[in-house]
């Protein structure tokens, strides 16, 4: 793929990322209230139960997906079609093995559903059908994800975004049709998901056949034990790292519950959800570079790998810093208007929770490098170790001091989050490409400075400008962010960084 072609495709990916994000937000705003209104609170409460099992299994299968995507992409970019065929065929068998392993879990839950969960009277049969359809949806989605590796390997995130949009829109449309023309039943939410996944699978199969090289074939007799071992090994370490991430990023909420009670834990949970929205927004840019780094690595263009990783890590981190700093500056009125006035006094919690997010966004770009190299063992082990040390230190400080426990927990967790998400990733990349440590240190300082500048500008407007409505708040945030963005682009970014940023959006 030529440079101009890659730039054009990255631009297309960027705009389809934005469209996909907008559709997700609109659907989220419409779908949940619609279900609550149609089903009632009691029946609606069954839905999260059906998703719990999927969420746990999805963590493991997500690790598997990232692993076989890596091996397939490397083979494809090297035009080693025989190896690519062996990878995708072996992965198909691996998915079959996963299905065989998880089916007993689903069956056991469906049979013993009344013993495991509190199901409203008269809804047991509907709940069982809901779980059946949810299990089938999960299996079909595994097949779709396997077929979509060709799209990722060829940097066709725009087509993958199309599939996401289809999935989200069709889920709502099919539920509406079933509710309006058949019956309002919680089981039909699961049926909607299953029918939608079947549609997505059909489209995925069409795109796979259309975009894959003709030499690539899925043949079960090309199973390769060596490839399977490599995929499982990488998946295991990626899974360990994801568990370590959870240990770090969810520790503060668990310890709030332990030391400060359920109300404080609930307030922190609500505040933390804003951070999740911030990460979704920054991922619009950050997700663009995973395929590009993998493609450059596959072609052994390591100069481009370094350039992409270090430049885009700084850009994504700084853009996230603009957003986080702006939000931090209006934290008190934001919490008051978004949640309720009782949350305003907890604005410092929000500020502390926002601090690691720019480094998490920047570190995510760096992680693409060592995953491309399949050097995931060390960061996985270190992530778990950091999570354990984090918990030990928080327990120690909270046991010794009875005052300001909330901020102690948050500050320590924020520090370890920054170390794990950015410092550790820089260190891991430096082990592969010696000398990038200095560049990474400079980026760290820049990201921190941008976050501080954004906070000062936003806070200054907050002091001068009375915020009493959501529209006033949004207006101020947009103005503050634009000023900070101007300073970032024209005074802080270097020429090649400005060029790289503008190449995405125009």
């Amino acid at each position: 793929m030529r440079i101009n072609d890659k730039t054009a495709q990255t631009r297309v990916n960027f705009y389809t990322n934005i469209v996909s994000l907008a559709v997700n937000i609109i659907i989220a705003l419409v779908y949940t209230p619609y279900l609550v209104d149609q089903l009632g609170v009691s029946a609606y409460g069954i839905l999260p139960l059906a998703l719990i099992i999927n969420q746990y299994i999805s963590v493991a299968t997500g690790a598997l997906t990232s692993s076989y995507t890596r091996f397939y992409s490397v083979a494809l970019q090297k035009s080693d079609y025989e190896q690519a065929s062996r990878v995708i065929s072996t992965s198909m068998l691996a998915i079959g093995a996963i299905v065989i392993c998880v089916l007993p879990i689903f069956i056991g839950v469906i049979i013993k559903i009344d013993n495991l969960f509190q199901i409203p009277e008269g809804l047991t049969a509907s709940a069982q059908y809901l779980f059946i359809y949810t299990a089938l949806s999960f299996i079909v989605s595994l097949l779709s994800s396997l077929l979509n590796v060709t799209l990722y390997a060829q940097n066709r995130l725009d087509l993958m975004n199309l599939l996401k949009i289809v999935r989200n829109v069709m889920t709502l449309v099919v539920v509406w049709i079933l509710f309006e023309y058949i019956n309002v039943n919680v089981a039909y939410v699961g049926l909607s998901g299953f029918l939608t996944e079947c549609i997505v699978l059909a489209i995925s199969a069409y795109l796979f056949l259309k975009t894959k090289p003709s030499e690539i074939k899925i043949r079960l007799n090309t199973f390769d034990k060596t490839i399977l071992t490599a995929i499982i090994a990488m998946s295991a370490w990626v899974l360990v790292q994801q568990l370590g991430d959870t240990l770090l990023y969810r520790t503060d909420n668990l310890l709030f519950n332990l030391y400060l009670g359920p109300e404080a834990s609930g307030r922190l949970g609500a505040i933390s959800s804003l951070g999740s929205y911030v990460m979704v927004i920054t991922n619009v840019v950050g997700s663009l570079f995973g395929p590009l780094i993998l493609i450059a690595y596959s072609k052994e263009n390591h100069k481009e790998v370094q350039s992409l990783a270090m430049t885009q890590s700084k850009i994504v981190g700084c853009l996230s810093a603009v957003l986080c700093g702006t939000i931090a500056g209006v934290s008190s009125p934001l919490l008051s208007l978004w949640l309720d006035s009782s949350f305003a006094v907890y604005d410092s919690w929000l500020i502390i929770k926002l601090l690691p997010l720019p480094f998490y966004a920047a570190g995510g770009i760096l992680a693409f490098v060592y995953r491309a190299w399949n050097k995931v063992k060390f960061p996985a082990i270190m992530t778990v170790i950091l999570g354990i040390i984090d918990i030990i230190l928080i327990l120690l400080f909270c046991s010794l001091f009875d005052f300001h426990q909330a901020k102690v927990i948050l500050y320590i967790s924020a520090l370890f989050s920054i170390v794990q998400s950015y410092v550790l990733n820089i260190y891991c990349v430096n082990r592969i490409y010696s000398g990038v440590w200095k560049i990474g240190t400079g980026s760290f300082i820049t990201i921190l400075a941008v976050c501080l500048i954004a906070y000062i500008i936003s806070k200054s407007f907050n002091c001068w400008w009375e915020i009493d409505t959501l529209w006033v708040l949004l207006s101020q945030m947009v103005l503050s962010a634009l000023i900070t963005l101007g300073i970032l682009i024209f005074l802080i970014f270097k020429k090649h960084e400005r060029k790289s940023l503008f190449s995405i959006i125009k």
Side-chain angles (χ1 to χ4, degrees), residues 31-33 35-37 39-49 123 186:
Y31 189 49
T32 300
L35 291 179
V36 173
D37 179 63
L39 295 171
V41 176
S42 295
Y44 177 81
I46 302 174
L47 293 180
L49 302 178
L123 293 178
V186 70

Side-chain angles (χ1 to χ4, degrees), residues 358-412:
F359 301 102
Y360 182 82
I365 306 297
L366 301 173
F368 288 136
V369 176
Y370 59 74
R371 289 188 178 180
W373 278 80
N374 192 18
K375 293 182 180 295
V376 293
K377 180 177 179 180
F378 178 77
I381 294 173
M382 287 305 300
T383 296
V384 174
I385 291 174
L386 286 171
I388 294 172
I389 296 174
D390 176 34
I391 292 176
I392 292 174
L393 278 180
I394 291 175
L395 290 174
L396 179 63
F397 273 89
C398 288
S399 299
L400 293 176
F401 306 103
D402 292 332
F403 53 91
H404 299 308
Q405 286 181 332
K407 290 187 178 180
V408 167
I409 294 172
L410 291 174
Y411 275 127
I412 295 177

Side-chain angles (χ1 to χ4, degrees), residues 36-81:
V36 173
D37 179 63
Q38 293 292 314
L39 295 171
V41 176
S42 295
Y44 177 81
I46 302 174
L47 293 180
L49 302 178
L51 297 177
I52 289 174
I53 299 173
N54 264 7
Q55 288 171 348
Y56 281 109
I57 297 176
S58 293
V59 172
T61 54
L64 174 68
T65 301
S66 66
S67 299
Y68 64 61
T69 298
R70 182 263 177 194
F71 290 102
Y72 177 83
S73 298
V74 170
L76 184 64
Q77 291 300 324
K78 290 183 177 180
S79 298
D80 188 347
Y81 300 127

Side-chain angles (χ1 to χ4, degrees), residues 25 73 83 87 96 118 137 156 158 192 264 271 293 358 382 387 416 426 442 467 498:
I25 293 173
S73 298
Q83 177 73 357
V87 170
Q118 294 185 23
S137 299
R156 294 304 306 271
D158 56 327
S192 169
I271 291 171
I293 289 174
M382 287 305 300
F416 274 87
I426 277 288
I467 300 175
R498 286 196 295 272

